Amino acid sequence: MTSPLRNAALATLAAATTLAAQDAPKPTADFVRDVLPILESRCFECHRAPYEDERGRRRNPKGGLRLDTRELLLLGGDGGPVVVAGRPGDSALYTRTVLPADDPDIMPEKGDPLTPAQADVLKRWIAAGAPFGDWTGATTEPAPPVPATSGRATLYARLAADLAPPAAATLRTALGAHGRAEPLVDAGSLLRVSYPAHQESVDTAALRALGPLAAHVAELDLRRTPLTDLAGLPRLPRLVRLDLGSTRVDDAALRALRELPELRSLSLCGTPVTDRGLATLAELPALEHLYLWQSAATAAGVATLRARRPALHIVLAPELPADAPPQRQPERPRRR
Amino acid sequence: MVNRSLRNAMRGADLPTRREFVSMAARGLLGVAAMPFLPRALAQSNAGREITAGVVPTAHRAIYVYLSGGLSHLDTFDPKPGNDAMGPMQTIGTNVDGIRVGQFLPRLARQMDKVCVVRSMWSNQGAHEQGRYFMHTSYALRGTIRHPSLGAWLGSIRGSANPTLPSHVTIGGDAFTAQVGFLGSQFAPLPIGDPEAGLQNAARADGIDEATFRRRIERLQQMNERFLAAHGSRLGQAYDEAYAQAVELMGSRDLLAFDLGQESAALRDAYGRERVGQACLLARRLVEHDVRFVEVVVGGWDTHNENFEALEERLPPLDQALAALLADLDARGLLEETLVVVATEFGRTPQINDQRNGRDHHPKAFSCLLAGGGIRGGHVHGSTDARGEEITAGRVTVADFNATIATALGLPVDEVYHSPSGRPFQVANKGQPVREVFA
């Protein structure tokens, strides 16, 4: 029920409150005794540290505003500061509580407006310079320990530190007509290089051409290329993933991989690599994942490599489902 | 910093241009999209700044298996052993301590170390078409606009990875699954009906030999050249390009990506010879050829009637297909950079309806899966109560789930893009990624 008459009445009431306050100056509001209870009961539900509500939903502070710590209360929200010490008329923490009840900006958004007495406490506290006493409030650390980045992002961030992206001209010459580079980090300084649809064009010269990009190549996809060796592969100090699947790269060629200090993942799926080549791989300091399906490596060779590198994840053959028709489970559900 | 080329693409999509008409014609006639072949992608992706807003991709491609109809979470990925809500369904352990699944998933149970189960999915759409559309686009279905699904966003923001193949393929979809929305037809999913039939009408017609075909194309070019010389027009050139691209694909090695005959019989058997198995195998072939986003739609999960008998029939082929897909991708080293998603529009009620022995729609708690592509395997996110009725922790809205997929694929979820009519949209409708599911 809103009407001009009601608004006028409210305005009069607000004016009366103001006048009353001027007539008989009240003592300064104490933050912990007078202000905090109002904030706790009427503001914190929306303006406090992120939390999970009873339904498991993460609730972030509305408008980016938190009132539960001194530091963040003074910092304000998305719209800027909400408290200007000494000037309640410029402080949204007060002014938005005394708007007409039907104003879309009134705070609190839910429930009844603050009582005139409550609004007056806020006003007097701000007018007195917004003293907090020794209150500092909740810790300003964000509550739930949510990892900001994945392990992979952390790794790439480290590798990309202080690395400027390559120049466009360098990219053009290094990639030739068929190479494709995609950025792996924000600035484009680490790249994933592949030759989609033109794998057959990749030869020693194409690998050698990558030289000027050597600092930037973190992932290199050479799957299904006709390569038989890695002559021409420049030293790639930041190469993390290398896919040589379905190439003819052999044991001797793997020696070139010793120049790859950051190599973590290597696919030799469908290559003629044998157990002899695995000995070279044991020397790769950072290697974590090795794929050997359909290669010439054997279980015995893999066992030897595992003994030397127990933490290495090696896939020699996938555990594929049986090719027999699906088996029925012994415990069949019965109709109720 | 809004991606300029995307914006241009959107602006151009306001009205279907002649170029788009040509593109659609090529799609219809040849089953290919003409536009992704345009040579914009290289320069754009190499610039590095256009596609990112602080997002490091953990996956370069995705296989999105969509279980149309609403998969019963209780009978599959969020079982409640001993509770009467389970009815006759038994549970089995997996290769991850503490994770149990329904009894008809024994093969997938052995791959759970690669899978993150999200048990706290939440939707507010309880009808199939609305729910399916919501799950795909993060926006509610409404009459005034069509929203893009993730595959279309991915193609438009990160570009096509393979210059001769479309960036987005859907196997067995319908009008409420993969959407191109307002993004322009070049990002629309290429529809494949039957995985075993592959891409239709991409070969020369019977009775036309190579020489005849070349002669006809040359004749066409001569006529076009004369026309273009006389009436020089950009639109005429667009026709030329569409033909050239289509002919390029016809002669491309990558056309074999669509041919399941290239796979060994043993591997085809391992995926299962049912449609879902062969569709998952085709999806693996396509992502291996750098198609960015492949959706496999599998129906039949709307088990209002005889829930347990229906699942006994439908789950084993799905179990086999998903288990084979994960094992196969992993053994090739592709799982590290391929995100596998299993999604559905909602779960099903803990109450077993008496007359029909089935379960009804239950959007307020259900389960989806994520695997590969930077996802933490052997992990469960969120939980439901003792009957699987309400979420008790870690609620993930549909928008949050899609924001998680988008983040893995390097799409900025906070960036605002404008439709041709100027309305603001975000990739996952303001959803925020669930950071905990990343390794």
Side-chain angles (χ1 to χ4, degrees):
Chain A
M1 204 182 70
T2 58
S3 67
L5 195 63
R6 182 163 176 268
N7 283 348
L10 277 171
T12 312
L13 183 66
T17 317
T18 314
L19 283 172
Q22 277 167 355
D23 284 348
K26 290 179 188 169
T28 303
D30 179 80
F31 182 80
V32 172
R33 187 193 60 210
D34 305 323
V35 179
L36 190 56
I38 301 172
L39 300 184
E40 277 174 347
S41 61
R42 301 307 314 277
C43 311
F44 276 14
E45 186 184 345
C46 300
H47 297 295
R48 64 155 152 125
Y51 65 104
E52 275 200 357
D53 68 12
E54 65 282 357
R55 308 192 57 184
R57 186 183 169 140
R58 186 181 159 89
R59 307 296 293 259
N60 287 315
K62 289 199 173 173
L65 175 65
R66 279 179 57 179
L67 300 175
D68 58 336
T69 89
R70 171 187 186 144
E71 190 186 338
L72 295 177
L73 190 155
L74 289 173
L75 186 67
D78 295 341
V82 296
V83 171
V84 182
R87 287 167 32 204
D90 294 331
S91 301
L93 185 70
Y94 166 68
T95 56
R96 289 184 65 176
T97 64
V98 292
L99 294 169
D102 61 345
D103 192 297
D105 286 338
I106 191 171
M107 287 289 160
E109 202 169 45
K110 290 183 229 164
D112 296 327
L114 297 188
T115 65
Q118 287 173 322
D120 187 52
V121 166
L122 296 181
K123 182 183 175 193
R124 280 187 288 123
W125 173 70
I126 295 167
F132 286 92
D134 54 9
W135 183 83
T136 56
T139 167
T140 52
E141 295 301 315
V146 177
T149 53
S150 65
R152 174 167 160 138
T154 310
L155 168 67
Y156 282 10
R158 173 172 69 75
L159 293 177
D162 302 323
L163 185 66
T170 309
L171 276 168
R172 270 194 302 275
T173 52
L175 296 172
H178 300 307
R180 170 76 53 110
E182 284 195 86
L184 295 169
V185 292
D186 203 13
S189 54
L190 290 182
L191 302 171
R192 177 181 193 274
V193 172
S194 60
Y195 299 84
H198 294 285
Q199 286 87 359
E200 72 286 350
S201 73
V202 179
D203 54 13
T204 299
L207 293 187
R208 193 167 287 128
L210 287 174
L213 273 189
H216 303 281
V217 181
E219 300 183 4
L220 182 56
D221 180 357
L222 299 173
R223 254 180 313 139
R224 296 186 291 134
T225 59
L227 292 169
T228 57
D229 60 52
L230 296 171
L233 188 74
R235 185 175 180 279
L236 300 170
R238 294 183 178 83
L239 190 69
V240 173
R241 288 178 46 88
L242 176 61
D243 194 338
L244 295 169
S246 305
T247 63
R248 306 306 299 162
V249 166
D250 60 12
D251 293 339
L254 296 184
R255 282 199 289 272
L257 302 182
R258 289 181 299 197
E259 302 298 311
L260 303 170
E262 297 287 350
L263 189 66
R264 279 165 174 72
S265 170
L266 175 64
S267 175
L268 296 169
C269 184
T271 62
V273 165
T274 72
D275 293 345
R276 201 167 339 140
L278 302 190
T280 314
L281 302 179
E283 294 164 29
L284 286 168
L287 196 64
E288 292 171 358
H289 301 278
L290 177 62
Y291 304 96
L292 295 169
W293 189 28
Q294 295 166 340
S295 73
T298 68
V302 168
T304 309
L305 179 55
R306 278 214 176 98
R308 288 183 65 184
R309 296 289 298 272
L312 186 58
H313 165 241
I314 308 171
V315 186
L316 182 59
E319 186 194 332
L320 289 170
D323 49 2
Q327 296 162 359
R328 291 284 184 238
Q329 285 298 298
E331 318 155 78
R332 288 188 47 164
R334 285 176 302 278
R335 289 200 51 182
R336 279 158 36 110
Chain B
M1 265 208 327
V2 173
N3 180 328
R4 197 178 307 127
S5 60
L6 176 64
R7 213 180 233 177
N8 287 342
M10 290 172 168
R11 197 174 291 134
D14 209 355
L15 294 166
T17 62
R18 199 59 97 73
R19 180 175 278 250
E20 279 165 358
F21 171 79
V22 172
S23 160
M24 283 186 277
R27 183 185 305 281
L29 293 169
L30 294 149
V32 298
M35 291 297 279
F37 314 149
L38 297 182
R40 71 187 178 85
L42 185 71
Q44 182 193 333
S45 68
N46 287 348
R49 289 180 190 80
E50 288 212 55
I51 68 156
T52 53
V55 181
V56 179
T58 60
H60 298 298
R61 42 185 115 79
I63 295 175
Y64 183 96
V65 178
Y66 191 76
L67 305 180
S68 190
L71 178 74
S72 168
H73 56 297
L74 282 167
D75 299 311
T76 56
F77 301 112
D78 190 12
K80 304 290 177 182
N83 194 292
D84 66 353
M86 294 300 289
M89 188 63 77
Q90 303 293 313
T91 69
I92 55 173
T94 68
N95 69 349
V96 178
D97 284 348
I99 302 184
R100 295 186 74 79
V101 295
Q103 72 184 86
F104 293 123
L105 298 166
R107 301 174 185 85
L108 192 53
R110 301 183 63 84
Q111 305 288 337
M112 288 307 281
D113 58 331
K114 305 180 179 69
V115 176
C116 172
V117 184
V118 180
R119 283 183 174 163
S120 48
M121 291 295 303
W122 185 89
S123 173
N124 58 6
Q125 303 288 323
H128 291 290
E129 292 177 350
Q130 285 80 357
R132 215 170 286 160
Y133 184 92
F134 189 50
M135 201 66 200
H136 279 78
T137 66
S138 315
Y139 286 88
L141 178 64
R142 58 191 59 196
T144 54
I145 192 151
R146 281 277 166 161
H147 307 87
S149 57
L150 284 169
W153 280 115
L154 184 64
S156 71
I157 295 174
R158 286 190 67 184
S160 181
N162 184 326
T164 63
L165 293 179
S167 63
H168 184 193
V169 173
T170 176
I171 305 171
D174 67 24
F176 300 94
T177 55
Q179 305 284 321
V180 66
F182 49 77
L183 285 179
S185 63
Q186 65 268 39
F187 306 114
L190 168 68
I192 301 280
D194 175 3
E196 309 218 29
L199 183 60
Q200 295 294 284
N201 304 321
R204 287 194 314 274
D206 290 342
I208 310 267
D209 61 20
E210 176 74 24
T212 309
F213 180 71
R214 291 282 155 210
R215 202 166 58 242
R216 288 182 178 184
I217 291 289
E218 272 167 35
R219 187 73 45 82
L220 177 73
Q221 278 167 349
Q222 285 165 8
M223 290 164 66
N224 281 350
E225 270 165 32
R226 241 176 291 154
F227 177 84
L228 286 174
H231 307 284
S233 107
R234 210 165 43 81
L235 297 172
Q237 257 155 9
Y239 274 97
D240 248 15
E241 278 172 28
Y243 277 111
Q245 306 287 6
V247 172
E248 185 187 340
L249 178 63
M250 287 173 70
S252 164
R253 238 169 32 127
D254 282 349
L255 203 51
L256 292 178
F258 293 93
D259 182 6
L260 287 180
Q262 303 292 313
E263 297 290 336
S264 73
L267 192 62
R268 294 188 68 175
D269 288 343
Y271 274 79
R273 290 287 182 160
E274 288 84 354
R275 191 181 157 280
V276 54
Q278 299 302 296
C280 284
L281 179 56
L282 179 59
R284 192 224 79 213
R285 283 189 65 78
L286 291 171
V287 297
E288 204 179 11
H289 285 77
D290 295 295
V291 174
R292 282 212 192 270
F293 197 99
V294 182
E295 173 163 354
V296 174
V297 180
V298 189
W301 306 101
D302 194 18
T303 50
H304 292 284
N305 302 310
E306 299 301 346
N307 176 71
F308 302 98
E309 284 185 7
L311 292 181
E312 183 177 2
E313 186 177 331
R314 302 214 58 98
L315 281 173
L318 177 74
D319 175 50
Q320 181 167 4
L322 291 176
L325 179 66
L326 293 173
D328 189 12
L329 284 170
D330 181 49
R332 287 169 203 270
L334 293 173
L335 191 61
E336 279 183 38
E337 53 178 28
T338 306
L339 180 69
V340 178
V341 182
V342 178
T344 187
E345 55 254 42
F346 36 65
R348 307 204 76 86
T349 50
Q351 298 77 27
I352 299 163
N353 57 47
D354 279 336
Q355 290 80 22
R356 293 166 293 144
N357 203 30
R359 298 189 192 272
D360 302 320
H361 301 179
H362 193 71
K364 65 181 175 176
F366 62 107
S367 300
C368 290
L369 307 183
L370 296 166
I375 296 296
R376 185 195 299 185
H379 180 66
V380 173
H381 178 83
S383 59
T384 56
D385 62 18
R387 289 173 56 79
E389 180 130 32
E390 301 273 355
I391 292 165
T392 50
R395 184 166 91 151
V396 177
T397 66
V398 166
D400 292 340
F401 186 69
N402 286 336
T404 307
I405 299 170
T407 300
L409 291 167
L411 302 181
V413 295
D414 294 323
E415 191 91 31
V416 175
Y417 300 93
H418 290 86
S419 72
S421 53
R423 293 166 62 181
F425 295 98
Q426 283 163 255
V427 169
N429 190 10
K430 300 180 187 159
Q432 288 302 309
V434 183
R435 299 280 178 197
E436 292 89 335
V437 304
F438 288 96

